[in-house]
Amino acid sequence: MAPQITVTEHLLLHQKRTPTATGRFTRLFNEIILSAKIISREVTKAGLVDVLGFTGDTNVQGEEVRKLDEYANRVLIHRLSRCGVLCAMASEENADVIEIAAGLPVGEYILIFDPLDGSSNIDANVSIGTIFSILRRKTPVEGPLLSSDVLQRGAEQVAAGYIVYGSSTMLVFTTGDGVHGFTLDPGVGEFLLSHPNIRIPEQGRIYSVNEGYQNYWDAPTRQVMEYFKNSEGARRKPYSLRYIGSLVADFHRHLLYGGVFLYPADGRDPKKPGGKLRLMCEANPLAMVVEQAGGLATDGVRRILDIEPEHLHQRVPLVIGSRDDVLKIKEIYESGS
Ligand code: P6P
């Protein structure tokens, strides 16, 4: 049986290979790991304790907040405030940047996260997830934090990843040196390396989109969906359609099996011309992961990681997955047909 490597050992090995590493990055990751274990414990017993249901509040997105959403958000903010290497955080659940409370040690990193994405699926026991993105501030730690420290392109991320709370709890992340997956062994409370060097297949056989909105799509988007349904494509037969409605679960399937997930812009809500998904806490981290695994992520045409953020909760259309599939979609959008 291969020696089981814990995520902490993996991080220390990575730290050794990075001459400039000071261990501060590892401390940050260790608090993310502890938060994941705490959230996983509550998510996996959600049906048994009073953490289901709505809090009666709505978040900055105008979405009803579920108790587990709020719980996960509190855990991450509490734990990460004390890691001593952050100067700020931003959460999908909070309107503004979260500064580190006075008196707590600060550092040069910024953490941006969606504490529990897909939470509308909680009551149905569908896999949900935490998504995180790590940036390094551009201005000196001694000075004031500027919006430009937070609103950085995805290409500036130093690390990114997600935790998927499913049939098992998995932590998948990259620090720019490939993508690695760790599965939580609840018996010992450790994330063990289960998926080293994940590579996404260059082309898949599954596409993932909410077809219920097809009447709101523009012509190129409808053309894209027709491509996956017909037999003239590269596969000479239609793709399968799979859609869970939980971004982390849908993305994780494509990372391992190949294929492409799409959340296009649609005309349903004039206040959300860029579609539903958020650039900073969803598209950017998953785009870093998929590129490190050999895949691509665009807004249909532009590389996600090149997009200059205009505001913290900016929404963006998302096409993410296997290289050949994403390039084919780009070709259709650019032909404008
Ligand atoms: P729709 C969950 O609410 C979420 O933010 C993502 O996890 C998921 O991919 C998407 O929304 C599903 O949205 O409009 O298809 O229900």
Side-chain angles (χ1 to χ4, degrees):
M1 181 174 179
Q4 300 202 321
I5 298 176
T6 67
V7 62
T8 306
E9 287 170 286
H10 177 87
L11 285 166
L12 289 174
L13 288 171
H14 170 77
Q15 183 182 311
K16 273 188 187 164
R17 287 199 300 266
T18 313
T20 55
T22 61
R24 302 166 62 73
F25 190 74
T26 302
R27 280 178 56 190
L28 169 52
F29 249 94
N30 283 336
E31 288 300 342
I32 293 173
I33 291 160
L34 178 55
S35 301
K37 292 176 185 176
I38 295 169
I39 296 167
S40 175
R41 182 187 59 193
E42 294 307 308
V43 167
T44 47
K45 63 182 183 184
L48 302 175
V49 295
D50 183 25
V51 287
L52 290 180
F54 295 97
T55 62
D57 302 325
T58 55
N59 63 15
V60 65
Q61 318 292 342
E63 296 160 340
E64 289 181 317
V65 176
R66 289 180 166 275
K67 289 178 182 175
L68 264 179
D69 258 352
E70 191 181 284
Y71 176 79
N73 200 41
R74 282 204 315 273
V75 166
L76 281 157
I77 292 172
H78 177 79
R79 293 277 7 132
L80 274 298
S81 295
R82 286 154 180 78
C83 75
V85 296
L86 288 181
C87 56
M89 287 181 267
S91 166
E92 188 250 359
E93 297 290 337
N94 296 59
D96 303 312
V97 169
I98 303 159
E99 302 247 7
I100 304 304
L104 291 175
V106 294
E108 69 275 33
Y109 292 107
I110 297 163
L111 178 75
I112 302 175
F113 58 89
D114 184 349
L116 207 58
D117 180 82
S119 56
S120 57
N121 295 291
I122 288 175
D123 294 357
N125 202 15
V126 170
S127 299
I128 53 183
T130 298
I131 309 171
F132 62 90
S133 164
I134 300 173
L135 296 164
R136 187 178 283 114
R137 72 180 291 174
K138 297 288 190 189
T139 54
V141 177
E142 302 73 24
L145 186 75
L146 304 182
S147 58
S148 56
D149 284 311
V150 180
L151 298 177
Q152 296 184 50
R153 290 180 310 120
E156 301 291 331
Q157 293 173 107
V158 293
Y162 59 89
I163 298 101
V164 52
Y165 311 99
S167 50
S168 64
T169 294
M170 267 195 76
L171 166 64
V172 178
F173 69 86
T174 180
T175 57
D177 182 24
V179 178
H180 309 285
F182 299 80
T183 300
L184 181 63
D185 178 340
V188 294
E190 280 289 356
F191 280 101
L192 302 176
L193 181 62
S194 53
H195 297 68
N197 295 308
I198 297 173
R199 302 295 293 171
I200 185 171
E202 287 199 358
Q203 191 206 18
R205 52 183 174 75
I206 300 170
Y207 77 110
S208 185
V209 69
N210 188 335
E211 292 251 348
Y213 303 143
Q214 66 176 11
N215 292 337
Y216 297 99
W217 293 334
D218 60 21
T221 301
R222 286 200 292 273
Q223 179 81 21
V224 164
M225 305 312 163
E226 285 313 305
Y227 168 79
F228 289 113
K229 292 175 181 163
N230 72 32
S231 302
E232 285 68 56
R235 302 184 64 248
R236 313 306 301 161
K237 59 184 179 180
Y239 282 58
S240 294
L241 173 62
R242 296 281 185 277
Y243 192 72
I244 301 169
S246 181
L247 175 60
V248 171
D250 280 315
F251 175 77
H252 187 65
R253 178 192 58 241
H254 290 299
L255 185 68
L256 299 184
Y257 294 173
V260 62
F261 171 88
L262 306 94
Y263 204 109
D266 58 51
R268 281 183 301 137
D269 184 345
K271 293 195 297 295
K272 299 176 186 173
K276 178 177 185 181
L277 300 181
R278 294 84 176 179
L279 174 62
M280 301 297 292
C281 66
E282 290 171 329
N284 274 342
L286 298 184
M288 180 179 185
V289 170
V290 83
E291 286 200 1
Q292 282 287 316
L296 291 176
T298 70
D299 64 357
V301 176
R302 292 180 301 170
R303 181 186 181 225
I304 289 290
L305 296 183
D306 289 339
I307 296 176
E308 287 288 351
E310 292 165 14
H311 57 86
L312 190 58
H313 295 286
Q314 177 173 337
R315 297 173 189 270
V316 67
L318 182 61
V319 173
I320 189 167
S322 292
R323 181 178 188 77
D324 292 357
D325 294 324
V326 173
L327 288 177
K328 180 60 186 177
I329 292 168
K330 182 173 188 286
E331 180 190 310
I332 294 172
Y333 273 116
E334 287 181 329
S335 70
S337 56

